[in-house]
Each structure stands twice: as structure tokens, then as C-alpha cells.
Amino acid sequence: MLNASALYPSASLNLNVTGAGVSVGIWDGGRVRDTHVEFVNKITFGDDASELSNHATHVTGTVIASGISANRRGIAYGATAVTHDWGSDTGEMTLYARDGGLVSNHSYGYVASTLPTHSFGKYDSKSRQFDNLMNNYPFYQIVVAAGNDRDDITIAQVNNSYGYDLLTGGCVSKNTIVVGAIVPFSSYSLQSVAPASFSNYGPTDDGRVKPDVVAKGVAVSSTTITSDNSYGNLQGTSMAAPAITGLIALMQNHHFNVYGSYMKSHTVRGLMIHSAREAGSYNGPDYEYGWGIPDAITMANVISDTNHNNFLFEVNTLANNSVFSKEITIDAVQNLDFTI
């Protein structure tokens, strides 16, 4: 669905990218079953979580499972993971980012049914903490699941806002990548893309587009805690977010291979939404699908085009009140796509 396999060894792009060299942060509901065959020598525990979590194990498998079972290979199967439970997450995330962490997955959030209406869409202390973290550590990207409350009719917000305005906490941060869930499809077309019934919609109270992107979140097969070689299907935006986390690990691996350095998180976000394929009834970004479904092939081609034959990939800094201009010359009628 994300076309990530095109980056793998012997695949169509001939890039040999697997996520190698990237250590992904995972914060979730407990301890990952590190003895699973998919995780041999791939898991480091970042805290003392002791109770095995099926949810955390499933999420981690979607990101880094090595592919002993080929159908459950993680998106960034060459990467490793530092795993934690969600207690004290902000402090632990600070240490992870300080030590060079590039991307972390957070498939959890507030219990929506316990919240007052004014909490939805609100930029709160958790939103601010996540933004401050990424501002202090500019290479660090936080990925957050949008939540699964849109089909819960006991929540007044679901009925009053027709399923919109359901995002809270880290999902309202300006610079997190918030991931919604869609149902699987065999080949991409506008007609083939449908939201999961539970996947939360935006916007934020100040009208920003959230979620940012969407990924498969229904019938996702990954590692479980039943045994060292067990697998199972789960659904939720919790299952969609780690696919995007794995995709970022792949792109950081590829960027390092091409340029000898990693991307800052703002570049990751711009590249991801630039690649996104349209989804939904509205042209362009919306509060249901964000910018759409990221495409690993487009992302990789932008990074690979060092001579700017087809893509211009720049990072600039603008001072307050300054004006930036760029002259673009073309020699034939063609479509031009810009993401700023």
C-alpha cells in the first residue's frame, strides 16, 4: 500500500534500503516479546516494563519484524527498536532524541469517552510537550495514531460533530505526523480508498489539517505474544501508525546512503506529504485523510535525484518578514507540483 517494498534489495528501484542503521523508538502499553523469532538481536528495552503487551508486540512487528514469516515482514525490517511502556514517555523521549533518535511510534492516547467536549481539538500540555521536543531536537520525528473513536456513539462529540473534531493530545501537536486508518485495497485508485469506520477525523481547533496521512489499519497481520512464532490480525489507527514509522526509517536510511546524513524532521514531513496520493472526496488535503497515502517510490526518487533532473529538494531558513523567491524554468508544458 505504501510501496515500501520497491526500496528493498533486488526490488524495482535497486536501492538496497531496509532501514539498516536506524533505531526506532516504540512507546506502547507494555513489554515487547523480544524472544519472538522476528526480533532476534533487534530489541533494546528502554525501561523496566515487565508485563508482556500483545499490542506493543504487534506494533513493533509492523515496524521491524525481520521477515521470518515473509508476509509479516516489517516495513523497515533491517532496523532495530528501543521499546518502552508509555509511562514517563516525554522524559524517555527526550533521552532518546538526545542520543540521536530519529523517529518514534506512539499508538496510544487519551481515553476519549472520559474527556469533556472542550478537550477535542485543543492544543494542550501534551501537544506542546511533543512540539517542544521536536523543536529542541530537530532530527526527531514523532508519529502518533489518530485514535479509534469515530464509531463510538456514546461519545457526544461523535454525534454532535459527525465524527469530526476528535483529535486530542499529541494528535493536535503541530509537528507530529498523525496517522489515520484506511481499509486494505489491492491497487490504488480514488475509488479504492475508504476510511476505517473507527478512524478519528480532525481538524484541530485552529483549523490545521490533521490527520496528516493515512495507512492500512484493518486486518493487519503482525507478531503476537502467544509464542515465539505466533502472529495475528489486529485493527486500529495503532496498526496504521507503525507502517508510517517504518517508512520514515526507510527514508532516513536511504537519505544517509545518498548524502551521508539524516534528514531533519521538517524535511521528512514535507517529503511525506509531497508524495501522498489523493484520498477522499475532496481535492487536496482534508480532515479525514490528511494529504492522503504516502508513496515510498516518490519519496525515494526525490531523495535520489541529486542532479535535480526531475525534482528540486531544498532546505532553507527564512528570517521574520523576509521574502524568498525561486525562479523555475521549464522547456515544455507540464505539471508542476510544489510542497512548502
Side-chain angles (χ1 to χ4, degrees), residues 259-272:
Y259 297 99
S261 63
Y262 294 115
M263 293 178 282
K264 289 185 176 180
S265 62
H266 56 58
T267 305
V268 170
R269 295 191 295 276
L271 185 61
M272 180 162 290

Side-chain angles (χ1 to χ4, degrees), residues 149-296:
D149 308 299
R150 193 164 52 85
D151 58 358
D152 185 353
I153 61 173
T154 67
I155 300 174
Q157 190 76 352
V158 172
N159 300 308
N160 296 340
S161 300
Y162 304 99
Y164 291 90
D165 190 26
L166 279 170
L167 303 178
T168 57
C171 294
V172 184
S173 298
K174 299 174 182 179
N175 296 311
T176 53
I177 293 178
V178 179
V179 186
I182 55 176
V183 298
F185 56 77
S186 55
S187 61
Y188 169 75
S189 69
L190 273 176
Q191 294 71 36
S192 67
V193 183
S197 62
F198 50 78
S199 186
N200 288 354
Y201 292 162
T204 64
D205 282 353
D206 57 358
R208 285 178 286 114
V209 173
K210 293 285 178 178
D212 297 281
V213 292
V214 291
K216 176 183 174 181
V218 175
V220 177
S221 185
S222 186
T223 46
T224 61
I225 62 172
T226 305
S227 71
D228 286 345
N229 58 1
S230 62
Y231 305 88
N233 286 356
L234 292 177
Q235 69 175 25
T237 58
S238 287
M239 283 61 251
I244 299 302
T245 300
L247 180 60
I248 293 170
L250 289 180
M251 292 305 149
Q252 289 287 23
N253 179 191
H254 180 41
H255 193 274
F256 189 87
N257 289 347
V258 174
Y259 297 99
S261 63
Y262 294 115
M263 293 178 282
K264 289 185 176 180
S265 62
H266 56 58
T267 305
V268 170
R269 295 191 295 276
L271 185 61
M272 180 162 290
I273 65 172
H274 181 81
S275 79
R277 291 160 288 171
E278 181 63 49
S281 304
Y282 310 103
N283 188 29
D286 56 57
Y287 300 141
E288 301 173 4
Y289 300 89
W291 275 263
I293 308 162
D295 178 24

Side-chain angles (χ1 to χ4, degrees), residues 112-174:
S113 59
T114 68
L115 298 175
T117 299
H118 67 77
S119 295
F120 294 97
K122 178 183 178 181
Y123 191 86
D124 66 6
S125 60
K126 179 61 87 174
S127 315
R128 187 163 51 252
Q129 285 171 0
F130 280 13
D131 275 336
N132 284 340
L133 248 174
M134 285 182 286
N135 184 62
N136 292 334
Y137 298 96
F139 288 89
Y140 177 38
Q141 181 61 59
I142 299 170
V143 179
V144 185
N148 310 316
D149 308 299
R150 193 164 52 85
D151 58 358
D152 185 353
I153 61 173
T154 67
I155 300 174
Q157 190 76 352
V158 172
N159 300 308
N160 296 340
S161 300
Y162 304 99
Y164 291 90
D165 190 26
L166 279 170
L167 303 178
T168 57
C171 294
V172 184
S173 298
K174 299 174 182 179

